[in-house]
Amino acid sequence: WTVQTLAHNALLLDGKGQGGGSGADGRIVAFATNPDFDYTAGDASAAYEKTKMMRHIVFVRPNVFVILDDIETAKPAGVQFLLHAIQPFKTDSDRQVVTITNGPARARIHLLGPGSVQISQTDRFTIPPERRERPAVPPDHFDQWHLTAEFAATDTVRRLLTVIVVERTDDDA
């Protein structure tokens, strides 16, 4: 399960992820850093069949991540943005915001793109994992929540913007 795109915080196109084997290649095409922000761009086009797939990420210090997914397909395709966590997500479909809290940390994830976004989550794996204790994962963290933000097929050129604000839960005062 873990070698498939659907197991990662990644994108699917019409429910399909990156190809397997040597075709699932990606490369860093840009990088910049300074005291205020870091920027990187990755090109995963070779990993997706007949598709331009570029991801730009800006980390604005101290706590904001901006992700721009630049997608071009031969025909309009639905895009599924996947997220995974060990706690359930709180969703606000009207505002297109997802919040995940774990102990003293919280992330507010704003999902922006053309058309409507359908947000769903489940605590089930597509392939049930074997139940065995692993030293790197406490037993109470073995279960996971899997969120899908489904952007409808609207066009062959897509720009999806995701803004993630990370904060401490004790900053609510």
Side-chain angles (χ1 to χ4, degrees):
W1 193 79
T2 60
V3 298
Q4 299 178 57
T5 307
L6 63 87
H8 301 276
N9 298 328
L11 299 177
L12 303 178
L13 299 176
D14 285 336
K16 295 180 184 173
Q18 299 177 9
S22 62
D25 293 328
R27 59 191 177 92
I28 301 297
V29 296
F31 178 78
T33 187
N34 71 41
D36 297 320
F37 70 89
D38 294 321
Y39 164 75
T40 191
D43 183 351
S45 300
Y48 289 86
E49 199 172 295
K50 300 178 184 174
T51 299
K52 174 188 172 187
M53 182 71 74
M54 295 281 297
R55 176 168 273 185
H56 304 265
I57 301 175
V58 179
F59 170 52
V60 183
R61 290 183 181 79
N63 66 327
V64 177
F65 294 86
V66 179
I67 303 169
L68 175 67
D69 289 305
D70 182 4
I71 306 160
E72 292 184 24
T73 54
K75 61 180 183 170
V79 179
Q80 298 80 41
F81 185 87
L82 307 176
L83 294 170
H84 306 273
I86 50 180
Q87 302 293 336
F89 294 88
K90 179 181 172 191
T91 62
D92 184 341
S93 295
D94 293 337
R95 292 180 52 224
Q96 296 178 198
V97 175
V98 174
T99 304
I100 183 66
T101 303
N102 188 10
R106 173 176 44 232
R108 284 182 291 120
I109 304 155
H110 303 262
L111 304 161
L112 308 167
S116 63
V117 180
Q118 299 291 91
I119 300 172
S120 62
Q121 68 178 311
T122 181
D123 63 348
R124 303 282 183 234
F125 287 88
T126 55
I127 300 170
E130 293 179 21
R131 292 284 182 182
R132 62 180 182 212
E133 197 169 324
R134 297 177 297 176
V137 180
D140 61 330
H141 290 155
F142 192 78
D143 293 325
Q144 295 180 12
W145 288 83
H146 313 282
L147 182 129
T148 301
E150 170 84 34
F151 294 86
T154 58
D155 204 346
T156 59
V157 176
R158 307 292 293 276
R159 305 293 185 274
L160 304 178
L161 186 67
T162 304
V163 179
I164 304 171
V165 180
V166 179
E167 55 200 359
R168 295 182 54 86
T169 55
D170 59 6
D171 288 345
D172 291 338

